[in-house]
Amino acid sequence: MGIQYRIPFSFLSFPFLLFVLFTIPSQHCTPTDTLTQSQPISAGQTLISSGQFFELGFFIPSNSSKQYVGIWHKNVPIHDRKVVWVANRGNPLTVTATDSASSSLTIGKDGNLRLLDGMNNTVWFTNVSVHSNNSIAVLSDKGDLTLVDSVSRLTLWESFNYPYDTFLPGMTLGMNTKTGDKRFLSSWLTEDDPSPGKFVCGLSTEAPPQVFIWNGSKPYWRSGPWDGSKFIGIPGDLYGYGDGFDITHDNQQGNVNMTWHVYNTSSVHFVFLTPNGSLKIIYMDEKVKNPYVIWMTPLNRCEIYGVCGPFGVCNENKSPNCECLKGFVPNSIEDWKKGNWAGGCVRKTDLLCQKNTSSLASSGKAQSDGFWKLRSMKLPDHFEYLYSEDSSGCQQWCLSNCSCVAYAYVTGIDCLVWTGGLMDVQQFSLGGNDLYLRLSYSELGKDKKNDEKFIISFTTISGVVLLGAFMYGLHRWRANQRVNKENRRKDFEMADSMDTSELPIIGFDKILAATDNFSTTNKLGEGGFGPVYMGKLEDGQQVAVKRLSSHSGQGVEEFKNEIILISKLQHRNLVRLSGCCIEGEEKLLVYEYMTNKSLDTFLFDATKRVQLNWAKRFHIIQGIARGLLYLHRDSCLRIIHRDLKASNILLDDDMNPKISDFGLARTFQVTQELANTHRVVGTFGYMSPEYVLGGLFSEKSDVYSFGVLVLEMVSGMRNTCFHYHEKYLNLLGYAWKLCRESRASDLVDEVVIDSCSWSEVMRCIHIGLLCVQDHVADRPAMSSVVLMISNEIDLPHPKQPKFTIQSLSDVDLRSQYNKICSDSKASQSIIEGR
Ligand SMILES: *[C@@H]1O[C@H](CO)[C@@H](O)[C@H](O)[C@H]1NC(C)=O
Ligand SMILES: *[C@@H]1O[C@H](CO)[C@@H](O)[C@H](O)[C@H]1NC(C)=O
Ligand SMILES: *[C@@H]1O[C@H](CO)[C@@H](O)[C@H](O)[C@H]1NC(C)=O
Ligand SMILES: *[C@@H]1O[C@H](CO)[C@@H](O)[C@H](O)[C@H]1NC(C)=O
Ligand SMILES: *[C@@H]1O[C@H](CO)[C@@H](O)[C@H](O)[C@H]1NC(C)=O
Ligand SMILES: *[C@@H]1O[C@H](CO)[C@@H](O)[C@H](O)[C@H]1NC(C)=O
Ligand SMILES: *[C@@H]1O[C@H](CO)[C@@H](O)[C@H](O)[C@H]1NC(C)=O
Ligand SMILES: *[C@@H]1O[C@H](CO)[C@@H](O)[C@H](O)[C@H]1NC(C)=O
Ligand SMILES: *[C@@H]1O[C@H](CO)[C@@H](O)[C@H](O)[C@H]1NC(C)=O
Ligand SMILES: *[C@@H]1O[C@H](CO)[C@@H](O)[C@H](O)[C@H]1NC(C)=O
Ligand SMILES: *[C@@H]1O[C@H](CO)[C@@H](O)[C@H](O)[C@H]1NC(C)=O
Ligand SMILES: *[C@@H]1O[C@H](CO)[C@@H](O)[C@H](O)[C@H]1NC(C)=O
């Protein structure tokens, strides 16, 4: 597939036997989500959230004689259930004849939620002051048990503020740096004992924060610092789709909060800290039935904190795992040989600045220290964050301070420096960051010195906590292939009943003549499914001929039907099909020729972009919107384009936009489509999250692509090849950030600033952001978009896109992207394969 996932077993369904839960069969006739003073629940009864997502009740862990009150997912099969929250984790009810029968969860006279044992003793209570005696407890569909004042409707207490070993979407983890309050996960002691175990997981107090798992007070695992969209010490890649984790700072209040949003709230997601210190992300939805562990840490020895000691580096693919960093030797060779690496490594040759000045003076001229670049690293712990505009400032600071041993310049964070031992360093095979290690002159290889010392490459961040929505999405996408195929077949059946006489059939010999036997000089470009040639028919008409490669996997029937679909469409913003040719192996489509080629050849070309002033761009945006509206609504067939992008917008003599390549996608086999989206990653930037995450496609997916296109038109930058101040690699994220900071005007392409109408530009940015909303329901239909573009109407506020503002991290992918971004051929092709 071309994607390197961290956890290859994520697609495998495997048993998830955590704790078998014994609940006494419910005696409630009508399940309710509300507990009132007059309606307590006792063992055997449960509360069920209104949407049937969560259930609260009494449970006895397997192999235990203790009873607890907890919350679990209602829609998970009983044997896969995991208790996500426990009220009385430290004060269990002992199961005796009286207790199991008569313990109850109730609202006391003081309005607090109370758990009473068989003797009416309070085992656990919420301990809040309630002003009215009229509080009620409600179990929400997020799994949050809230105590609400039924008069004022104020929330007095909620279970989400007391997380135990499970982090659910909608919760916040974090801390207050001023008050010292911490909201961490804490593991169960064992799988059948919910009392606090040894392991704790939460954010560190550093800036930027890291997630740690601690074993008691010792660090056990570390995520690496947060770069604004992900933790950089976790390698992995989401192709630009986010995992929904976010960290917010509130400097005035001192709050640092980590939140988690999931793409599809009707599926089961949770993060879970196991009793033995593993952190797992678990995903399940109606179709899977079995929970998947979609991500887990620590997976191998190298992920455990500091296995190789200071200045040691761990490499999972090497044996032994630990090595010393370049220029360092084991602290104790004996220990090292025995596999006891905790002592770490020491420097072979002192740095110049560490040397005794008087001995230095005697040794004569000394060469200055330099930096050795280490690629694909998990950056060490105990960093200091410095603000620096660029990486040379970071390097300067490090050179000027003798205690500085290494630095890194990280996209999204800026400058990190280290002054102590380099702890918990890992060598990744993919992803990771560049670390610049300070070494004395003699340790830097002489030949390498000049290269490595001052190479300041475009460092990027890497690592994302992989999320089920995406992983499973691809999985389901495959599963959906069969369904999609069937749907397509239906389309073809429909097309079969139509009149096919309208489209001229052009003889292959005529096409040969028109294109000079497909001469290379006539070749306009190479799409994913075959080359495109310019040609001149006998009557002098200029045409573009798309020749489908014989290995493109298209059946003649499907091809023919496709032609019929396209030939039925007529709109001035859609490119016209002039004819077709099917002779033997040859399958060709003949289009009207567009003199000004495709939009991307102007928009992303340093010199030609100037010709696209604002009026032209606005005209093109309007034209694309109308063409798309026609496809979605006005044409006799409802067509989803599925591959709208700048290179599929052709321009005629008068720079009128014409959407091309529409509907063609339908004739491609889905497997091929998938394969090709991975090969030509440039198209990825236009794909909506529900397509990538859920395999779902609708007109709103075209709306999404349209939104990307609008933002590209305004900024003159490609969504996917975007980097600005090295902060975000993705145009959408950058656009969102600017709008939130009321600096939307910074987005505008400098070559149109003088020619533009600010109200039009701002409206376009606003519309663009509305079109790229994460959720289908939040995106306007094309009919509204067309209205919005040409009228000064009030527009809804866009919400923050959480799933599409991620940056690209993977080194290999990045180089692919760079290739595509710099490849002029890719942008010149009229009809580019997806
Ligand atoms: C059940 O618990 C007992 C004592 O706590 C322990 O000895 C036994 O191994 C446990 N059995 C299982 C299956 O966990
Ligand atoms: C506990 O309280 C309930 C209601 O207040 C009462 O009916 C019950 O008899 C009490 N049980 C004991 C053992 O005191
Ligand atoms: C209840 O809260 C008060 C004030 O915060 C505290 O002093 C007291 O110890 C708490 N009681 C219990 C049983 O936790
Ligand atoms: C609740 O308060 C009202 C007046 O505020 C009082 O009449 C009622 O008896 C109280 N109920 C309980 C159960 O204490
Ligand atoms: C956690 O720490 C304890 C005590 O330091 C140690 O015995 C135990 O092996 C550690 N657990 C893991 C999983 O590293
Ligand atoms: C962080 O969480 C706390 C507790 O839920 C909340 O009071 C605070 O407003 C949150 N801060 C931010 C910046 O979200
Ligand atoms: C923790 O337990 C799980 C099974 O619940 C196992 O897969 C994992 O390897 C264990 N991890 C450690 C560090 O022992
Ligand atoms: C969300 O999940 C539900 C149930 O699994 C499914 O029916 C629905 O189509 C999903 N929605 C999206 C947008 O993926
Ligand atoms: C520096 O070197 C001189 C002579 O080489 C020696 O006497 C002195 O103790 C050294 N100082 C330190 C701090 O090592
Ligand atoms: C070098 O860095 C350390 C750690 O940040 C700092 O305490 C020290 O003051 C710095 N020294 C100089 C000369 O800047
Ligand atoms: C195309 O090829 C045919 C035979 O292969 C040849 O007769 C003809 O002259 C060629 N035409 C052109 C324009 O090259
Ligand atoms: C578009 O094509 C026409 C005809 O070839 C040409 O006159 C015009 O200059 C082109 N427009 C731009 C902006 O290049």
Side-chain angles (χ1 to χ4, degrees):
M1 294 220 317
I3 308 182
Q4 294 263 334
Y5 290 118
R6 211 161 110 80
I7 304 165
F9 57 75
S10 57
F11 291 131
L12 304 176
S13 162
F14 61 91
F16 183 69
L17 294 172
L18 282 171
F19 332 92
V20 181
L21 198 76
F22 295 113
T23 43
I24 303 150
S26 172
Q27 290 146 18
H28 254 301
C29 310
T30 46
T32 167
D33 64 350
T34 310
L35 188 76
T36 62
Q37 225 164 50
S38 57
Q39 269 192 317
I41 59 164
S42 55
Q45 296 173 321
T46 59
L47 291 184
I48 295 173
S49 72
S50 59
Q52 306 272 312
F53 289 117
F54 284 93
E55 185 170 26
L56 174 144
F58 289 76
F59 72 97
I60 302 168
S62 57
N63 196 22
S64 165
S65 57
K66 308 237 170 80
Q67 198 180 36
Y68 301 88
V69 167
I71 298 175
W72 53 87
H73 285 98
K74 166 87 177 128
N75 44 5
V76 170
I78 275 185
H79 289 270
D80 292 332
R81 276 183 190 163
K82 157 88 185 75
V83 174
V84 298
W85 183 79
V86 181
N88 56 325
R89 74 183 305 195
N91 306 308
L93 297 156
T94 38
V95 184
T96 62
T98 45
D99 258 359
S100 62
S102 53
S103 48
S104 65
L105 184 67
T106 183
I107 294 193
K109 291 217 167 63
D110 62 352
N112 272 298
L113 197 57
R114 279 175 191 276
L115 178 60
L116 304 177
D117 67 9
M119 304 305 293
N120 280 352
N121 297 318
T122 300
V123 168
W124 169 87
F125 75 119
T126 50
N127 199 11
V128 287
S129 61
V130 184
H131 297 300
S132 79
N133 61 5
N134 235 342
S135 48
I136 56 167
V138 183
L139 180 64
S140 79
D141 275 340
K142 288 177 171 176
D144 193 12
L145 179 66
T146 53
L147 186 67
V148 182
D149 186 318
S150 58
V151 177
S152 64
R153 290 317 222 172
L154 284 178
T155 298
L156 304 164
W157 177 92
E158 56 183 312
S159 64
F160 268 19
N161 289 347
Y162 302 88
Y164 290 134
D165 67 342
T166 309
F167 185 46
L168 292 171
M171 270 187 174
T172 56
L173 280 188
M175 69 208 153
N176 188 303
T177 48
K178 288 189 179 150
T179 63
D181 284 346
K182 282 176 181 169
R183 202 172 292 173
F184 284 2
L185 296 181
S186 113
S187 69
W188 288 24
L189 188 59
T190 64
E191 296 200 347
D192 40 29
D193 185 352
S195 57
K198 273 190 304 201
F199 293 92
V200 171
C201 172
L203 290 175
S204 65
T205 52
E206 307 149 281
Q210 313 186 71
V211 171
F212 272 92
I213 301 172
W214 288 277
N215 175 3
S217 57
K218 281 188 311 187
Y220 178 58
W221 174 82
R222 176 177 79 92
S223 68
W226 177 255
D227 74 353
S229 64
K230 60 191 169 291
F231 296 101
I232 65 169
I234 303 174
D237 190 82
L238 283 173
Y239 265 121
Y241 291 87
D243 53 32
F245 286 98
D246 200 5
I247 291 190
T248 52
H249 301 253
D250 175 354
N251 290 335
Q252 278 176 354
Q253 307 249 304
N255 277 318
V256 182
N257 293 354
M258 181 161 96
T259 57
W260 187 24
H261 296 265
V262 293
Y263 182 69
N264 190 341
T265 46
S266 49
S267 44
V268 172
H269 291 87
F270 57 92
V271 180
F272 160 44
L273 181 64
T274 70
N276 67 6
S278 299
L279 194 65
K280 295 178 175 179
I281 301 180
I282 287 162
Y283 173 74
M284 203 189 116
D285 83 0
E286 281 167 4
K287 289 187 199 152
V288 205
K289 302 287 187 234
N290 288 313
Y292 286 79
V293 176
I294 56 165
W295 181 83
M296 178 178 148
T297 201
L299 264 188
N300 56 53
R301 199 164 176 175
C302 284
E303 294 192 353
I304 292 170
Y305 186 92
V307 268
C308 301
F311 300 107
V313 54
C314 197
N315 188 336
E316 197 200 329
N317 301 321
K318 280 193 181 163
S319 177
N321 292 143
C322 287
E323 281 181 348
C324 287
L325 288 169
K326 185 183 166 65
F328 288 78
V329 289
N331 196 356
S332 153
I333 304 226
E334 305 284 281
D335 285 351
W336 200 263
K337 277 186 185 149
K338 277 188 244 157
N340 183 2
W341 298 311
C345 307
V346 289
R347 203 178 274 284
K348 258 197 267 183
T349 315
D350 281 348
L351 295 175
L352 182 69
C353 68
Q354 290 170 329
K355 284 182 183 146
N356 186 335
T357 40
S358 50
S359 63
L360 192 78
S362 59
S363 76
K365 187 171 163 268
Q367 305 265 213
S368 61
D369 300 333
F371 290 98
W372 184 262
K373 178 174 165 182
L374 299 160
R375 293 169 205 270
S376 290
M377 305 304 280
K378 175 174 184 177
L379 298 181
D381 195 15
H382 307 303
F383 50 80
E384 278 177 57
Y385 163 77
L386 293 175
Y387 176 75
S388 168
E389 275 285 333
D390 53 21
S391 105
S392 64
C394 197
Q395 189 185 50
Q396 275 313 310
W397 188 91
C398 196
L399 265 184
S400 67
N401 186 328
C402 191
S403 35
C404 180
V405 295
Y407 78 92
Y409 193 80
V410 180
T411 312
I413 294 178
D414 295 344
C415 178
L416 295 175
V417 296
W418 287 265
T419 53
L422 299 181
M423 201 56 181
D424 194 33
V425 185
Q426 217 183 311
Q427 172 79 59
F428 295 137
S429 45
L430 214 69
N433 296 89
D434 295 338
L435 176 69
Y436 293 85
L437 182 65
R438 186 178 194 169
L439 292 176
S440 72
Y441 179 78
S442 61
E443 289 297 335
L444 296 163
K446 290 211 168 58
D447 47 333
K448 295 262 180 138
K449 186 208 147 207
N450 288 326
D451 296 340
E452 299 292 346
K453 188 174 168 188
F454 293 110
I455 284 177
I456 296 155
S457 81
F458 176 57
T459 53
T460 48
I461 36 188
S462 145
V464 166
V465 180
L466 293 180
L467 181 85
F470 177 72
M471 309 283 295
Y472 175 65
L474 279 182
H475 169 70
R476 194 170 51 186
W477 189 0
R478 284 188 189 156
N480 279 350
Q481 284 168 26
R482 205 174 306 121
V483 181
N484 292 342
K485 244 182 173 168
E486 276 161 18
N487 288 345
R488 279 202 306 278
R489 198 142 290 138
K490 279 186 199 137
D491 291 342
F492 301 137
E493 279 162 17
M494 174 182 67
D496 244 351
S497 62
M498 290 170 19
D499 175 18
T500 65
S501 60
E502 281 171 29
L503 191 70
I505 306 287
I506 302 173
F508 187 59
D509 50 336
K510 290 193 175 138
I511 291 176
L512 273 181
T515 59
D516 283 357
N517 291 351
F518 299 113
S519 74
T520 42
T521 50
N522 277 10
K523 193 161 158 181
L524 290 168
E526 180 82 46
F529 294 88
V532 182
Y533 299 89
M534 188 174 78
K536 205 171 212 172
L537 293 178
E538 282 170 333
D539 59 4
Q541 188 196 349
Q542 276 210 315
V543 291
V545 179
K546 187 175 189 177
R547 188 183 195 185
L548 295 155
S549 313
S550 52
H551 50 82
S552 73
Q554 288 179 292
V556 174
E557 274 315 298
E558 295 191 355
F559 174 79
K560 210 168 167 182
N561 280 311
E562 190 53 46
I563 292 168
I564 296 161
L565 279 184
I566 299 172
S567 67
K568 282 283 162 190
L569 303 174
Q570 280 202 28
H571 188 270
R572 68 194 146 101
N573 295 116
L574 302 181
V575 74
R576 282 279 292 157
L577 193 61
S578 321
C580 71
C581 166
I582 308 171
E583 272 177 35
E585 288 290 286
E586 292 292 347
K587 299 189 246 334
L588 302 118
L589 293 174
V590 181
Y591 297 94
E592 58 179 332
Y593 180 73
M594 291 292 142
T595 35
N596 286 320
K597 300 195 176 169
S598 58
L599 179 58
D600 60 330
T601 61
F602 283 92
L603 197 54
F604 307 130
D605 185 282
T607 50
K608 284 169 84 182
R609 68 198 301 168
V610 184
Q611 297 173 33
L612 281 185
N613 61 23
W614 176 251
K616 281 193 180 126
R617 289 186 196 201
F618 194 61
H619 174 72
I620 292 170
I621 290 172
Q622 285 179 308
I624 301 168
R626 284 194 214 103
L628 213 47
L629 176 62
Y630 172 80
L631 281 180
H632 287 177
R633 202 192 63 184
D634 297 337
S635 70
C636 49
L637 309 159
R638 233 183 56 160
I639 301 230
I640 301 168
H641 187 284
R642 291 157 63 106
D643 195 19
L644 194 69
K645 56 180 174 181
S647 57
N648 279 342
I649 305 298
L650 306 186
L651 299 169
D652 72 5
D653 298 358
D654 302 322
M655 301 299 276
N656 291 311
K658 307 232 175 193
I659 301 173
S660 78
D661 222 2
F662 41 88
L664 201 64
R666 287 161 176 250
T667 62
F668 297 146
Q669 281 169 11
V670 176
T671 43
Q672 196 159 14
E673 198 175 318
L674 194 72
N676 272 286
T677 42
H678 290 298
R679 201 162 56 77
V680 187
V681 282
T683 325
F684 243 102
Y686 294 95
M687 282 160 68
S688 61
E690 74 272 11
Y691 189 36
V692 174
L693 302 179
L696 303 174
F697 219 102
S698 68
E699 308 97 280
K700 293 291 184 74
S701 319
D702 280 351
V703 172
Y704 182 91
S705 313
F706 176 77
V708 174
L709 203 48
V710 168
L711 293 173
E712 289 183 335
M713 292 288 283
V714 170
S715 64
M717 288 178 282
R718 282 179 198 266
N719 183 29
T720 45
C721 302
F722 173 79
H723 42 84
Y724 181 86
H725 276 209
E726 305 193 356
K727 292 282 186 195
Y728 286 84
L729 284 172
N730 166 313
L731 177 61
L732 304 188
Y734 181 57
W736 171 259
K737 178 178 133 79
L738 288 180
C739 284
R740 200 174 44 185
E741 294 167 4
S742 306
R743 289 166 49 214
S745 55
D746 288 8
L747 190 69
V748 182
D749 191 348
E750 56 197 19
V751 307
V752 302
I753 282 186
D754 294 335
S755 68
C756 77
S757 140
W758 282 106
S759 70
E760 281 172 8
V761 168
M762 291 304 142
R763 212 157 63 233
C764 283
I765 296 174
H766 196 147
I767 293 166
L769 284 173
L770 286 175
C771 291
V772 299
Q773 293 285 282
D774 283 336
H775 289 280
V776 170
D778 295 333
R779 290 177 216 146
M782 277 325 289
S783 49
S784 317
V785 171
V786 168
L787 280 178
M788 288 171 178
I789 290 175
S790 9
N791 296 287
E792 301 263 350
I793 48 180
D794 276 350
L795 302 177
H797 279 291
K799 299 174 190 162
Q800 175 170 14
K802 287 212 185 289
F803 293 91
T804 49
I805 62 165
Q806 298 286 311
S807 54
L808 200 73
S809 54
D810 190 290
V811 175
D812 286 0
L813 278 173
R814 209 166 68 229
S815 60
Q816 277 197 49
Y817 261 67
N818 288 341
K819 214 171 106 209
I820 283 170
C821 301
S822 59
D823 186 355
S824 55
K825 265 191 194 148
S827 55
Q828 271 170 14
S829 66
I830 282 191
I831 300 158
E832 187 183 315
R834 68 203 41 244

